[in-house]
Amino acid sequence: MTTTSAPSTTLANGGPGLPQERRLVTEIPGPLSLKRLERKRAHVADGVGTTLPVFVVAAGGGVLVDVDGNSLIDLGSGIAVTTVGNAAPAVVERVSAQLEAFTHTCFMVTPYDGYVDVCERLAELTPGDHAKKSALFNSGAEAVENAVKIARVATGRDAVVVFDHAYHGRTNLTMAMTAKNMPYKHGFGPFAGEVYRAPMSYPFRDGLSGEEAARRAVDVVEKQVGATNLACVVIEPVQGEGGFVEPAPGFLPALAEWCRAHDVVFIADEIQSGFCRTGDWFASEHEGVVPDLVTTAKGIAGGLPLAAVTGRADLMDAVHVGGLGGTYGGNPLACAAALGAIEEMRAGDLVGRAREIGTLMRGRLETLQAEHPVIGDVRGRGAMMAIELCEPGTTEPDPVRAAAVSAYCHQQGVVTLTCGTWGNVFRFLPPLAISDALLHEAFDVVADGFRATA
């Protein structure tokens, strides 16, 4: 086993005080994690998978500590959730105070300030200076589904357009909107109707400019759906599960302009790309795109379940009273966490920090690409970066090599995630609280993984 610095003599609680080190004291997973994995197999449905079966007992900054005392560098952030870290002080303080006051009333029964405060912050932070309103939910899939409901009521139309490689959730409607079959859709149909798929701008694979790719997509929409039947276009400004596909410049503005010209609601799914992740508060801002509706979740609340639809006040108010809501949507604890997370983002200039992390990661990844022809593409923005692995000199996906490198990283104490339609993409989503030293050490391990699996 290896250590990168002197190991802590006692297991610290989570939070910023946790020693920021990679420390391996057992094999990964260790014996205590393996014991707990047996309990998981006995009591948790097999359909709930686990990427790395280590049981975490503390987390903070850029590390996760497991029950065996191993300290792992986190390049996943719980899939872009713990943007401000796993136990950011402002999140802990606000949630603790709210916990002592009350845990729930249901906003639809008796309201409370926290819910309104979050909606106010969302109006300030999301793109555009127009009048905005929000509704709060529990998960990203709920936010997407409710955004579609709002668009349908506001336009009086039914059809929804999504894109190749998209991921929007696991509810019936959002499974229909999601492109990838396994594991998200397989065997779960039939799915909701009136969902249509257009080709995504994928520069590595299609070689088109943004304007050319937009014309191709619009041509499909106009021929197969028709603008007069279309309620909304839903797109991730940088795709998540589909492979961190960053559309060519000009693609998103052209789509948004077409939507405006045809009174189609343009919905930006910023669930993975929002809240400082890409080096802007929201990825749509990179090209000055102002969506009609924005869906958010993941990084919004520092690890507590919260999601939102935010958008033009006239659209948000189109739905009849009682048509939006849910028992737990905008739970007081989650709202307190969101207010704390936003406070941390502003105070720590996490937009700027994401850009710094992006510069560091791109440099390391481009160096790796020069050394390993299997890396066909380096892409992404800010702290949302990816590499796509292909047979050298081709665009033929290489998911086997991706899996092998990821397994090596896991064994060496670095949490890595793969994604993409073909499972051949590494996505890197470190917490913005991580140090440069930990990032460099993590990418040293990634580099060793490529050499070890060559």
Side-chain angles (χ1 to χ4, degrees), residues 74-75 84 88 152 159 169 171 174 228 240 280 315 364 397 422 433 440:
D74 182 12
L75 295 185
V84 297
R152 284 174 166 169
T171 60
T174 56
T228 57
D280 290 294
L315 291 177
R364 294 300 303 261
W422 302 279
H440 277 300

Side-chain angles (χ1 to χ4, degrees), residues 42-228:
H43 301 292
V44 179
D46 288 348
V48 181
T50 300
T51 297
L52 178 53
V54 297
F55 280 72
V56 173
V57 296
V63 299
L64 308 173
V65 178
D66 72 13
V67 69
D68 290 284
N70 300 297
S71 180
L72 290 72
I73 301 177
D74 182 12
L75 295 185
S77 299
I79 316 183
V81 170
T82 56
T83 301
V84 297
N86 302 78
V91 174
V92 172
E93 290 165 12
R94 285 180 177 265
V95 172
S96 297
Q98 181 60 54
L99 186 62
E100 291 182 356
F102 60 92
T103 61
H104 179 73
T105 69
C106 184
F107 189 78
M108 298 183 302
V109 178
T110 54
Y112 38 87
D113 284 337
Y115 189 115
V116 181
D117 290 340
V118 170
C119 294
E120 185 176 38
R121 300 295 187 281
L122 289 168
E124 296 166 357
L125 294 170
T126 50
D129 57 6
H130 52 282
K132 301 173 204 166
K133 292 188 177 183
S134 295
L136 304 185
F137 305 98
N138 302 291
S139 69
E142 282 184 72
V144 171
E145 188 144 339
N146 277 278
V148 171
K149 286 162 54 178
I150 292 164
R152 284 174 166 169
V153 170
T155 62
R157 306 169 187 170
D158 298 327
V160 176
V161 162
V162 290
F163 291 83
D164 289 336
H165 314 290
Y167 178 84
H168 294 294
R170 296 175 184 258
T171 60
N172 187 266
L173 174 59
T174 56
M175 280 192 294
M177 297 169 67
T178 290
K180 190 173 180 179
N181 174 52
M182 183 61 81
Y184 306 114
K185 302 169 70 168
H186 183 72
F188 297 143
F191 301 117
E194 288 302 303
V195 175
Y196 301 87
R197 197 167 306 282
M200 179 65 177
S201 172
Y202 199 145
F204 175 62
R205 294 184 172 274
D206 61 31
L208 299 177
S209 70
E211 292 79 5
E212 290 167 339
R215 284 196 295 271
R216 179 183 62 175
V218 166
D219 184 60
V220 168
V221 173
E222 290 181 337
K223 287 177 179 176
Q224 296 187 14
V225 186
T228 57

